[in-house]
Amino acid sequence: MFPARLSILMVLLFAGDGAWGQHVSVEGPVEVRVLDIGITGARITRDRIILREMLVRAGDTLSSKVLYEKLERSRQNLVNTGLFNTVAVTPLYIDPGTVIIEVAVNERWYIWPAPIFELADPNFNTWWLTKDLSRANYGMYLYNYNFRGRNETVYAMAQLGYTQQFALHYQVPFFDKKQRWGISMGGSLMQQAEVTAATVDNVRILLANPDGPNRIERRADIRLDLRRRHDVRHRMRFGFVQAEVSDTVVQVARDYFDGSSTNTRYLSLGYTFILDRRDVRFFPREGHLTEIHVDRYGLGPLDRASPDLTTVLASTIRWWKVQEKVTLAMSLRGKRSFGAPPYFLQEGLGYGRYVRGYEYYVIDGEHSLLWKGNFIFQLFAPREYRLEALPLEAFRTLYFAMYLDLFADVGRVWDSRFADRNFLANEWMGGYGIGLNLVSSYDQVVRAEYSLNALGEHGFFLHFTQPF
């Protein structure tokens, strides 16, 4: 392949009668040869990182219909890397049978000394009941995205407040010549003065220690990624966990680790399969996503008071663009546990995943199922705004869109041990409502929702993630 600038210069010199840059009308299955791919706007990102996301290569010959389909999917791949504010992939015809592909990107700002201010409760709405700022975490992340221009990520984190945590992480998306294998590794130290020891009436029982931490936890992990195709990923994880709690915790939750043990240590092994064909990852309108996670906790070597647990978590989400401004979305997520999970690892619904309308409840258990349905109506189409007065190019392009959302959720948690003291365990839950979704620059989503649940309760809830 010619160097991009050289090949484009040659076309400018020899294209002849002004065909350069024009759209040449092509009808039917015309065969088109890709002469070269030129990249503009990438001051930091290496060309090979961009070319890795392209479904066409210099020298390819394909029909015009297939060409346009692959160029659109290539554009979506580049957007979904999270490296760019905007991406344009344009075919520039030299003649009806020859084309150069121009990839124009606007890079984001990659070094972020990001402050931490987050709430320790399961969600914003639970925290809002007390508005207690002592239940907040604060500190600083130092991120370097696109490190060395190779889409590598490095971050260090120091967090104080409700949970003290320190972490270091490094991720390399590709380390082989074919750009298929990636690796990430990291470690963390965490301690809390207040921990959740049980749930009664689906409300957490919190134990606080005014004299020091009630729980200390150390983690280290390494992960290998295999991406043989653009939309398919395989991930293999190997981890180490060492944790300890105070005597007070195990007196309330005697199965917190293993019986009355106040500490645990174990190795874990996991595998993840991901099929990702969403158009835009941070707020999809079309496509589908399937994930399967298998995790084994407790491998034998180094284990002490370790769990004997295997979990399988599977989810699938599908988005259909019914009309240009209307999208139907559905998701199904299920979790199955093999072995009795200690309270330390038990998680049903109510934290990151929940039936909308039940934000104030936590439902623990071994197995869970969650279905979500959404009708999404576009109120304000995605638009990009340029603010030339801003000094940094990475912040001059602003993105904004707004959607109306009609939704319904159904879920259930199966609990064989503590259902007698939690009335939502082993019961079907349902919720429905209406919401307003604001999507803005740097993949930010804010959802304001009004929900009703099967208990007859209703209320206004605020979230800062996409619906799924």
Side-chain angles (χ1 to χ4, degrees):
M1 184 179 69
F2 291 112
R5 294 180 180 176
L6 177 59
S7 60
I8 292 176
L9 177 61
M10 292 176 65
V11 172
L12 285 171
L13 292 175
F14 301 110
D17 59 358
W20 166 256
Q22 297 180 5
H23 175 75
V24 178
S25 177
V26 290
E27 298 180 359
V30 177
E31 293 292 312
V32 180
R33 184 172 70 90
V34 178
L35 179 63
D36 205 352
I37 300 176
I39 299 171
T40 61
R43 294 180 298 173
I44 296 175
T45 309
R46 303 290 181 91
D47 285 359
R48 66 185 182 88
I49 299 300
I50 294 174
L51 295 174
R52 174 65 176 84
E53 305 302 324
M54 299 292 294
L55 299 185
V56 298
R57 298 285 184 267
D60 286 354
T61 299
L62 59 169
S63 71
S64 56
K65 179 177 183 297
V66 172
L67 173 66
Y68 280 92
E69 290 175 350
K70 289 194 172 187
L71 292 185
E72 172 57 18
R73 187 56 188 167
S74 299
R75 185 194 67 80
Q76 294 173 359
N77 287 344
L78 288 166
V79 169
N80 288 332
T81 63
L83 298 178
F84 311 109
N85 290 312
T86 60
V87 177
V89 180
T90 309
L92 302 174
Y93 283 88
I94 300 170
D95 56 57
T98 308
V99 67
I100 282 181
I101 308 302
E102 181 187 51
V103 180
V105 299
N106 177 267
E107 292 183 314
R108 291 183 172 184
W109 185 257
Y110 297 128
I111 300 177
W112 286 94
I116 296 172
F117 183 81
E118 60 184 20
L119 305 173
D121 290 292
N123 55 69
F124 173 83
N125 308 281
T126 302
W127 175 83
W128 190 252
L129 294 175
T130 63
K131 305 179 184 66
D132 183 0
L133 289 177
S134 69
R135 303 183 59 77
N137 299 317
Y138 53 88
M140 183 71 70
Y141 279 100
L142 181 59
Y143 283 100
N144 192 338
Y145 297 106
N146 204 14
F147 180 56
R148 302 193 300 166
R150 300 178 182 183
N151 198 18
E152 300 172 357
T153 301
V154 181
Y155 77 76
M157 184 260 278
Q159 175 182 289
L160 302 174
Y162 182 84
T163 300
Q164 296 87 51
Q165 187 170 2
F166 305 90
L168 184 64
H169 188 84
Y170 179 48
Q171 177 177 333
V172 180
F174 309 110
F175 59 80
D176 62 320
K177 290 184 178 179
K178 292 185 178 181
Q179 299 187 78
R180 292 182 175 181
W181 286 96
I183 189 171
S184 65
M185 61 192 73
S188 66
L189 169 65
M190 183 272 288
Q191 61 182 26
Q192 290 178 300
E194 183 178 78
V195 300
T196 303
T199 53
V200 176
D201 292 331
N202 298 110
V203 176
R204 296 179 303 154
I205 302 300
L206 301 173
L207 298 180
N209 182 2
D211 301 321
N214 246 346
R215 186 173 95 184
I216 300 175
E217 181 179 318
R218 299 171 180 85
R219 290 179 177 266
D221 62 84
I222 185 169
R223 189 185 80 194
L224 282 176
D225 292 356
L226 174 60
R227 187 184 179 195
R228 300 180 65 180
R229 293 165 47 193
H230 283 82
D231 299 330
V232 177
R233 287 176 170 84
H234 303 268
R235 291 176 174 170
M236 288 70 73
R237 300 177 301 281
F238 182 74
F240 170 78
V241 174
Q242 180 174 314
E244 58 187 80
V245 295
S246 66
D247 293 337
T248 306
V249 174
V250 297
Q251 288 172 7
V252 175
R254 292 189 61 82
D255 63 338
Y256 195 85
F257 292 138
D258 180 16
S260 59
S261 176
T262 59
N263 57 76
T264 186
R265 182 179 67 203
Y266 60 90
L267 300 173
S268 64
L269 190 64
Y271 166 76
T272 296
F273 169 82
I274 301 174
L275 173 61
D276 188 349
R277 290 180 178 166
R278 293 172 289 179
D279 55 353
V280 179
R281 290 180 186 173
F282 62 89
F283 198 86
R285 297 288 311 283
E286 195 170 22
H288 58 91
L289 170 67
T290 298
E291 296 188 27
I292 300 173
H293 306 264
V294 181
D295 288 284
R296 172 63 190 179
Y297 303 95
L299 302 181
L302 302 180
D303 288 359
R304 182 178 64 200
S306 63
D308 182 12
L309 177 67
T310 301
T311 62
V312 179
L313 174 64
S315 64
T316 183
I317 314 172
R318 185 68 186 262
W319 295 264
W320 296 270
K321 187 177 283 189
V322 181
Q323 298 178 1
E324 183 59 33
K325 294 187 176 183
V326 180
T327 294
L328 171 64
M330 292 186 184
S331 73
L332 183 64
R333 178 183 186 269
K335 180 182 179 181
R336 182 75 164 84
S337 299
F338 299 89
Y343 193 82
F344 178 63
L345 292 176
Q346 183 171 261
E347 182 178 332
L349 298 176
Y351 292 93
R353 306 288 180 177
Y354 49 86
V355 175
R356 282 171 285 189
Y358 291 83
E359 279 87 342
Y360 297 140
Y361 299 101
V362 171
I363 308 94
D364 289 322
E366 297 99 315
H367 324 297
S368 63
L369 189 66
L370 178 62
W371 177 88
K372 290 176 176 280
N374 286 60
F375 262 114
I376 302 170
F377 302 88
Q378 178 182 286
L379 297 180
F380 295 98
R383 292 192 60 182
E384 295 171 0
Y385 302 89
R386 291 284 296 176
L387 298 179
E388 300 296 344
L390 293 178
L392 296 175
E393 173 61 31
F395 296 99
R396 290 176 183 166
T397 301
L398 301 181
Y399 176 92
F400 175 84
M402 185 175 289
Y403 303 90
L404 181 69
D405 184 13
L406 301 178
F407 60 84
D409 297 353
V410 176
R412 180 181 173 121
V413 175
W414 287 264
D415 184 358
S416 63
R417 293 180 292 174
F418 310 112
D420 58 333
R421 62 188 189 190
N422 291 288
F423 64 94
L424 290 176
N426 301 327
E427 298 288 340
W428 287 101
M429 296 171 285
Y432 61 94
I434 186 171
L436 197 63
N437 301 335
L438 173 64
V439 184
S440 60
S441 301
Y442 285 86
D443 306 343
Q444 299 301 303
V445 178
V446 179
R447 292 162 36 225
E449 297 176 340
Y450 187 81
S451 304
L452 298 90
N453 66 27
L455 301 175
E457 301 168 339
H458 57 90
F460 176 81
F461 302 96
L462 194 63
H463 299 285
F464 299 93
T465 60
Q466 59 172 286
F468 299 107

